[in-house]
Amino acid sequence: MALKSFRIIAFLVLLSGCVRYPSDRYRSLEDYRRELPRAEIAALAKKKILTLDEAQKTALKGNPDYRSACLAVAGAKYRYYRSLAAYLPSVDFRAGIHHSLRNSHDLLNPPAGVMPRENNLSSDMGIYASWLLFDGLEREFSAMIARQEMRRSKALDRNARRLLVRVVAYAYYDAVLAKETARIAEADLSFQESSLRQAENRYRNGLVSKASVLNFRILANRAKSAILNARYREQTARNSLSSLMGFGQTDFPPDLELSPLPKEEQEIYQDLESCLEQAAENRPDLRAAALLLDIAQFRQWSAYSAFLPVVRADAGLQFVTGNARYGGYAVNRSHHNTLDFTYGISGEWNLFRGFDSFNAVREWRIRTELAKFQLEDTFLNAVTEVKDAYADYCNARDQVKIYRETLQWVAEQRALVQSEFWNGRDTITRLNGAQSDLVEAQSRLAIALIELRKAVIQLRTAMNVIPSP
């Protein structure tokens, strides 16, 4: 017996060692890369420029957080289907075999009919059906709750899509801004190196002091540092963008460029009240909060079903066999085959359970009020988000106009100061200030243009009127 048990345990241990668990596929860097979606990466590698729409489409297909939200919708749908099963009968098949041994030799003065020894072998099998006819409308409310939860999951999925589209746009524009900042710094470096060459020629001819040469060398190194910082920020932004799109930076095509900085302005021809109306109608998070209020209300109504009876209809078809052997008795064996069919209706009505049902109704009444307050809080947050986004858009739009005008003046000023400096009518300090003003104006205009794009996407996602990527 011990040897047989040892063999069974050894077989189970060996079997457990042969099983490959899902976690075994995620042990190294290559494992993770292999499991990540690669179809979109291969498609992107063929492109030269990645547009914002393409980045958002790829993120909606490959972002793990968003894909899990999509699967949550499917799970909620099947939970709703499961709730409908309560309207159909339950059919079960049952079977069993039983063996009993009894020895009654030690009984003193046994009653008539008790055999000294018994050996009984019996088996049974049957089909049993049960159908819930009435449960106080609990299954009706359960189905309604499951349906609203499915709709809420769809709303949460749309809200996750809204937020993902916005964060992808932010990461994309951050990378574009860093690229433009590097371009501005490269133009500044070109100016400083050109000025340095002229200063060196004039220094060799004794026309300027060595201080002018050192000045342009210092400013050239400062421009080189700005280029490195801008490229670093571009790299981190691309890392964030690639992660949002569903693949690591190592798989992101290094020669894939982003769209250049847009120079045109974006206009939204709507007033604040119109934006608020669209947000109230379109926001999926508001819809999800409203559906949560429905769910709480249905649960409160479902709690009243505990005060009503439960009625079921049952039916069963059973076949039973028996074979018995006796010792020390006039009859030494017997057997039987029995076919039974039963049906009926049963009811159950709880009359008292320590006020549990009464307190459940009061609990869900409070939870319904809490869901209402949560809906109001979600609405206030949405209103604040729309107002802030609209104010941000108006500010960014005006800033673009100001810095576009300022850049024209600063560029003209730098050209005049540069000419006057090399003609000996202005100081090097003035030239440094004019060039610094030009670089700052170019940088601020680039920032204003990006902030305008971000403000537009922020306002559109706050209203949930973004176009389908």
Side-chain angles (χ1 to χ4, degrees):
M1 183 66 181
L3 180 60
K4 184 177 180 181
S5 301
F6 173 78
R7 289 176 178 176
I8 294 175
I9 295 174
F11 173 75
L12 294 177
V13 171
L14 180 62
L15 181 62
S16 63
C18 297
V19 175
R20 182 174 174 83
Y21 298 100
S23 59
D24 294 337
R25 299 198 303 267
Y26 300 91
R27 291 187 177 274
S28 65
L29 178 61
E30 291 301 324
D31 293 339
Y32 284 96
R33 288 177 178 171
R34 182 176 59 254
E35 294 297 328
L36 288 173
R38 306 186 62 86
E40 293 296 327
I41 302 173
L44 290 176
K46 301 177 182 179
K47 298 179 179 292
K48 294 183 178 180
I49 297 179
L50 176 67
T51 64
L52 176 58
D53 287 344
E54 292 170 340
Q56 291 171 336
K57 287 180 181 178
T58 306
L60 291 174
K61 293 180 181 178
N63 184 269
D65 286 341
Y66 180 69
R67 293 174 69 190
S68 63
C70 295
L71 291 178
V73 174
K77 179 179 68 174
Y78 294 129
R79 283 195 298 271
Y80 171 58
Y81 292 163
R82 287 181 58 192
S83 68
L84 300 179
Y87 290 94
L88 299 176
S90 173
V91 181
D92 301 302
F93 173 77
R94 303 172 194 167
I97 184 170
H98 313 279
H99 187 204
S100 64
L101 299 173
R102 177 181 296 177
N103 191 328
S104 304
H105 277 295
D106 295 333
L107 289 178
L108 298 179
N109 300 320
V114 175
M115 282 68 74
R117 295 190 305 276
E118 294 184 44
N119 185 345
N120 296 322
L121 178 65
S122 63
S123 65
D124 63 88
M125 64 178 64
I127 297 178
Y128 305 89
S130 177
W131 197 345
L132 179 65
L133 301 179
F134 181 75
D135 63 347
L137 302 179
E138 182 178 359
R139 62 179 173 181
E140 283 77 12
F141 287 123
S142 297
M144 296 170 69
I145 290 170
R147 183 185 60 186
Q148 296 303 86
E149 286 180 343
M150 179 183 66
R151 293 174 177 175
R152 182 171 179 267
S153 295
K154 292 181 179 179
L156 293 177
D157 172 71
R158 295 194 300 271
N159 193 58
R161 177 187 177 277
R162 177 181 72 92
L163 298 177
L164 178 60
V165 167
R166 183 179 68 184
V167 73
V168 168
Y170 283 3
Y172 187 92
Y173 286 136
D174 286 342
V176 171
L177 177 59
K179 183 77 172 181
E180 180 66 15
T181 302
R183 188 197 64 79
I184 294 172
E186 289 171 355
D188 183 32
L189 176 61
S190 178
F191 172 81
Q192 302 298 346
E193 289 179 340
S194 175
S195 299
L196 175 60
R197 288 191 296 269
Q198 294 188 46
E200 288 175 340
N201 291 333
R202 295 198 175 198
Y203 173 67
R204 284 192 294 268
N205 296 326
L207 299 178
V208 296
S209 66
K210 188 177 181 180
S212 297
V213 176
L214 295 177
N215 172 79
F216 291 118
R217 286 179 179 174
I218 293 172
L219 294 179
N221 275 357
R222 184 180 299 174
K224 292 178 182 178
S225 175
I227 292 173
L228 292 176
N229 287 332
R231 289 176 178 172
Y232 162 74
R233 290 194 296 271
E234 181 186 6
Q235 184 66 35
T236 57
R238 286 170 70 96
N239 291 342
S240 299
L241 180 61
S242 63
S243 178
L244 291 170
M245 293 170 64
F247 49 88
Q249 175 66 14
T250 53
D251 291 327
F252 196 87
D255 55 345
L256 183 61
E257 297 292 337
L258 305 182
S259 299
L261 177 68
K263 301 299 183 181
E264 71 279 358
E265 300 178 12
Q266 281 188 315
E267 293 286 344
I268 295 181
Y269 302 99
Q270 290 179 275
D271 57 8
L272 179 58
E273 188 65 24
S274 176
C275 294
L276 291 173
E277 290 178 358
Q278 292 196 28
E281 295 174 359
N282 301 329
R283 290 272 295 223
D285 54 342
L286 286 177
R287 180 59 179 164
L291 290 171
L292 190 62
L293 177 60
D294 290 346
I295 293 171
Q297 183 67 75
F298 290 151
R299 291 191 185 278
Q300 177 186 345
W301 293 341
S302 177
Y304 286 101
S305 62
F307 295 98
L308 299 176
V310 177
V311 181
R312 296 179 181 274
D314 302 285
L317 179 64
Q318 184 180 26
F319 180 72
V320 181
T321 66
N323 188 5
R325 293 178 179 272
Y326 313 108
Y329 192 66
V331 180
N332 62 0
R333 64 181 300 171
S334 67
H335 68 274
H336 66 276
N337 297 323
T338 306
L339 180 64
D340 294 332
F341 175 72
T342 60
Y343 64 94
I345 296 178
S346 62
E348 179 182 353
W349 197 343
N350 175 258
L351 300 179
F352 183 72
R353 195 183 296 157
F355 300 104
D356 177 73
S357 302
F358 178 70
N359 289 324
V361 172
R362 296 198 296 182
E363 176 190 359
W364 281 108
R365 185 179 300 148
I366 296 298
R367 292 196 180 190
T368 303
E369 293 297 322
L370 291 176
K372 180 181 178 181
F373 291 142
Q374 291 175 0
L375 173 60
E376 294 174 353
D377 183 66
T378 304
F379 170 74
L380 293 177
N381 291 334
V383 169
T384 302
E385 183 180 345
V386 172
K387 288 182 178 179
D388 291 346
Y390 193 84
D392 191 14
Y393 162 73
C394 294
N395 176 67
R397 180 191 57 191
D398 296 339
Q399 293 287 351
V400 167
K401 295 178 181 179
I402 292 174
Y403 284 118
R404 197 185 296 277
E405 186 179 37
T406 301
L407 179 59
Q408 296 177 355
W409 296 339
V410 171
E412 182 180 359
Q413 174 189 252
R414 200 283 304 270
L416 293 174
V417 172
Q418 181 184 15
S419 176
E420 292 176 357
F421 170 75
W422 293 119
N423 291 327
R425 294 193 301 270
D426 213 335
T427 64
I428 193 172
T429 303
R430 184 74 180 110
L431 177 61
N432 292 341
Q435 175 63 18
S436 177
D437 290 341
L438 177 62
V439 172
E440 182 181 2
Q442 291 174 333
S443 300
R444 288 187 177 275
L445 178 59
I447 294 173
L449 287 170
I450 291 297
E451 290 300 322
L452 178 59
R453 289 298 188 282
K454 287 186 176 181
V456 170
I457 194 67
Q458 180 186 9
L459 182 55
R460 287 177 175 172
T461 53
M463 297 186 296
N464 196 38
V465 293
I466 52 178
S468 299

